[in-house]
Amino acid sequence: MKNTLARITLGFGILAMTGAVLASGMNGKLAVKGSDQDVSGGTVSADMIMADSNGWLVVHRTDKSKKPGPVVAYAPLKKGKNHDVAAILTEPVKSGDMLMLMLHGEAGGMKTGIFEYTLGAKEDGPIKVDGKLVMDVITAR
């Protein structure tokens, strides 16, 4: 009986610790994770995005300098962990083009739920942590 009780107690302890780890993952660091991908179907996807509030996945053209260029796609995000977020490309992207998948906020604009950012604007602008953009760079195939 003691061994059974000990196992049950240990099981609940592990379950509680697992819940704590999962909860901390939802409040974890802001992140954008992507991978090189085929964009011939007219979409580009982020594998995972962690957002601290509702916002946007914004896809910018970029190059080896890793500076954001024109926006070529965007998709809405919910607060928390987002998986397999797909954005429809608004212009052609060729195999070999570099794309920056970036976390943008939903703040400063005139309308909630409408993407209002233009390059350099503050409306629905990029999210930065310690002065650095929350982003990942991928290559189109």
Side-chain angles (χ1 to χ4, degrees):
M1 180 77 165
K2 275 188 170 181
N3 282 343
T4 303
L5 188 54
R7 278 190 227 132
I8 291 171
T9 303
L10 178 61
F12 281 127
I14 290 171
L15 185 60
M17 285 175 28
T18 302
V21 169
L22 290 175
S24 70
M26 288 304 290
N27 297 321
K29 294 183 178 180
L30 302 180
V32 175
K33 301 291 180 200
S35 52
D36 296 350
Q37 60 195 271
D38 178 4
V39 298
S40 63
T43 63
V44 62
S45 298
D47 300 328
M48 189 282 299
I49 301 174
M50 177 64 78
D52 63 355
S53 61
N54 294 340
W56 301 96
L57 159 63
V58 179
V59 182
H60 294 265
R61 288 191 182 276
T62 192
D63 55 25
K64 291 180 184 177
S65 71
K66 294 191 179 178
K67 292 188 180 185
V71 173
V72 296
Y74 58 90
L77 297 171
K78 64 181 181 181
K79 177 182 179 177
K81 196 176 270 190
N82 297 260
H83 291 282
D84 301 320
V85 179
I88 297 172
L89 292 166
T90 57
E91 61 185 62
V93 173
K94 296 181 285 184
S95 180
D97 287 354
M98 294 176 72
L99 300 172
M100 181 178 287
L101 310 178
M102 187 184 300
L103 177 60
H104 278 236
E106 172 59 47
M110 299 294 284
K111 297 179 182 178
T112 300
I114 304 295
F115 184 65
E116 299 175 83
Y117 178 80
T118 56
L119 198 56
K122 293 186 187 207
E123 297 82 10
D124 298 341
I127 302 296
K128 294 183 180 181
V129 175
D130 297 329
K132 295 181 181 177
L133 296 168
V134 179
M135 59 84 179
D136 197 9
V137 175
I138 66 164
T139 302
R141 291 193 217 155

